[in-house]
Amino acid sequence: MTDLPSFTYHVKPILYDLTNNVTNFDEWITILKTKDFGSLMVSVKKAYLYSDPLTSAIILCLAFAVWVWILSTITRNFSQVDRLWSILPVIFTWHFILHGCWKSPAANTFSSCNLNARGIILCLLTTVWGARLTYNYARKGGYKWESEDYRWSFVRNRINWSIFEVTNIIFISLYQCFLLMAMTLPSYAVWYSASTSSLNLWDLFAGIMFIGFLIGEIIADNQQWRFQTEKYKLIAKANENLKKTAIFEGDYSLGFITHGLFRYSRHPNYFCEMGIWWSYYIFSIAAASSKSQWILNWTMIGTLNLTILFQITTHLTETITKKRYPMYELYRKNTSRLIPWFPGKDITKKKK
């Protein structure tokens, strides 16, 4: 086949394969009873190498989800999954693209290694994306043990504890881990069609878009980082000189940034992040021989879910921000929410 079959036709046998792998208890129990861990490793390796890459990806997702849930329940820190956002998509992209390439060359089994230029390009782009996001998250202290996204605390304090525990299982742990895998499903299409599809203009278009949005996100994150760093320096200096009246000017008087890319969008980093993953999705269209039939294909499920999630995240973020900063509502009325647009009036300028 030159293209991926329909979702129902293709995924149904994979789910059957997944069930067989996960519920093959007799084999696992026998190995554990004999404590033959060498055989256990061989069995796990065979299950990984000779199953469809989507099957093993789903199993990995379940493992990560259980780990996140256990860790967040024990520590009561619900940002455990946040630390995986820049890591899991890179892992799953390489997992899909290189599937079949780990088999022994002596066994002449490299024929299933569907590796081509498109796959390598996609892997490299995703790795650069992941490295940048990891760096940005790390410099904000995201990987410190005690660090937790302020939004979890906001939600936790406003709903019943039992509802939040269910939310932790379903949304924070399970849904987000599967989302991080689903976002990379276009790379599965790239792997599947590697032997029948060469580079084309769609790849060029997707690559340029990916890099463009990545640069935009870097600029937005750096502008936000510089602003927040300087803001807290000014606050610290004001606290040291309690007898003097601290004077904050421009955006520092508001408490939030409204200049640079934030002059055209209230969340340019969110917009660019969504753009990156829609660019990623275009690679699945490039991999198909029939482009018209594949403009909309089932591998967009992750990208579509990410886009919806950003709408919810943006609403929650702005709800909290409006409570903190009185002038944010005026900024919200003057500036586009996500898509960059013509800027409104500069609210930092005082009327004479």
Side-chain angles (χ1 to χ4, degrees):
M1 297 182 186
T2 57
D3 290 320
L4 280 170
S6 68
F7 176 83
T8 303
Y9 178 83
H10 190 69
V11 174
K12 192 173 181 179
I14 287 176
L15 294 178
Y16 178 77
D17 184 26
L18 172 66
T19 305
N20 282 344
N21 274 287
V22 174
T23 60
N24 192 7
F25 297 116
D26 292 338
E27 181 182 348
W28 301 112
I29 291 172
T30 301
I31 293 173
L32 290 173
K33 280 183 177 179
T34 58
K35 296 182 179 179
D36 186 357
F37 296 108
S39 297
L40 177 63
M41 293 303 296
V42 171
S43 181
V44 170
K45 184 178 179 181
K46 285 175 63 178
Y48 174 79
L49 293 177
Y50 295 100
S51 63
D52 188 280
L54 186 53
T55 303
S56 46
I58 294 173
I59 294 173
L60 280 172
C61 263
L62 287 170
F64 278 115
V66 170
W67 170 249
V68 165
W69 173 68
I70 291 174
L71 201 58
S72 62
T73 301
I74 293 172
T75 63
R76 309 311 295 169
N77 183 324
F78 298 93
S79 275
Q80 308 302 334
V81 72
D82 298 336
R83 298 178 173 95
L84 298 176
W85 266 82
S86 62
I87 299 170
L88 287 189
V90 178
I91 291 175
F92 283 120
T93 299
W94 283 99
H95 158 76
F96 283 128
I97 297 300
L98 294 182
H99 188 78
C101 297
W102 308 110
K103 300 178 184 179
S104 171
N108 193 28
T109 54
F110 268 103
S111 58
S112 61
C113 180
N114 292 349
L115 192 61
N116 67 354
R118 177 181 296 112
I120 294 297
I121 291 170
L122 190 54
C123 282
L124 293 176
L125 287 173
T126 309
T127 302
V128 172
W129 165 86
R132 188 215 67 82
L133 188 58
T134 300
Y135 166 73
N136 190 60
Y137 192 65
R139 70 177 174 177
K140 293 189 293 186
Y143 292 106
K144 291 180 180 179
W145 185 254
E146 69 279 5
S147 175
E148 183 185 50
D149 191 308
Y150 66 92
R151 286 168 293 196
W152 294 133
S153 176
F154 179 85
V155 174
R156 188 167 60 242
N157 293 331
R158 282 161 177 77
I159 61 176
N160 184 275
W161 70 269
S162 58
I163 296 176
F164 187 80
E165 293 303 320
V166 174
T167 302
N168 184 32
I169 295 171
I170 296 176
F171 176 75
I172 298 178
S173 302
L174 196 62
Y175 171 76
Q176 290 199 66
C177 283
F178 271 89
L179 173 61
L180 293 173
M181 183 273 289
M183 286 158 51
T184 66
L185 285 176
S187 64
Y188 177 60
V190 170
W191 168 81
Y192 192 91
S193 306
S195 61
T196 58
S197 178
S198 57
L199 289 174
N200 52 64
L201 290 177
W202 283 89
D203 294 294
L204 179 63
F205 176 59
I208 291 173
M209 282 186 61
F210 191 108
I211 294 171
F213 283 121
L214 182 62
I215 292 172
E217 190 170 33
I218 291 171
I219 294 171
D221 281 342
N222 283 337
Q223 288 176 348
Q224 182 72 264
W225 170 255
R226 286 195 297 269
F227 170 77
Q228 293 294 342
T229 302
E230 184 62 27
K231 182 179 80 171
Y232 285 109
K233 282 182 181 179
L234 291 172
I235 292 173
K237 187 180 291 185
N239 290 334
E240 290 175 1
N241 301 289
L242 295 177
K243 294 181 179 180
K244 295 181 179 180
T245 303
I247 299 175
F248 295 90
E249 297 181 344
D251 286 345
Y252 301 111
S253 66
L254 304 174
F256 53 90
I257 185 171
T258 65
H259 286 84
L261 293 183
F262 294 84
R263 187 87 170 86
Y264 307 94
S265 166
R266 303 200 297 273
H267 304 279
N269 46 344
Y270 288 2
F271 172 75
C272 290
E273 182 69 9
M274 286 187 289
I276 285 171
W277 288 100
W278 281 108
S279 304
Y280 189 108
Y281 166 71
I282 293 174
F283 281 103
S284 72
I285 302 173
S289 60
S290 177
K291 303 294 185 291
S292 60
Q293 294 177 5
W294 271 81
I295 293 294
L296 300 177
N297 66 74
W298 64 268
T299 65
M300 74 155 53
I301 186 170
T303 312
L304 191 58
N305 268 270
L306 178 69
T307 303
I308 294 170
L309 180 61
F310 265 117
Q311 310 314 308
I312 299 170
T313 301
T314 302
H315 175 73
L316 178 59
T317 300
E318 295 204 328
T319 299
I320 299 171
T321 306
K322 283 191 293 184
K323 292 178 180 295
R324 288 181 176 179
Y325 307 109
M327 291 292 287
Y328 192 81
E329 181 61 25
L330 182 59
Y331 172 59
R332 191 185 67 80
K333 291 179 179 179
N334 278 278
T335 309
S336 174
R337 184 170 183 260
L338 286 169
I339 301 173
W341 194 244
F342 298 107
K345 62 181 181 181
D346 186 350
I347 62 174
T348 63
K349 290 183 178 180
K350 297 179 180 179
K351 292 182 180 180
K352 294 182 179 180

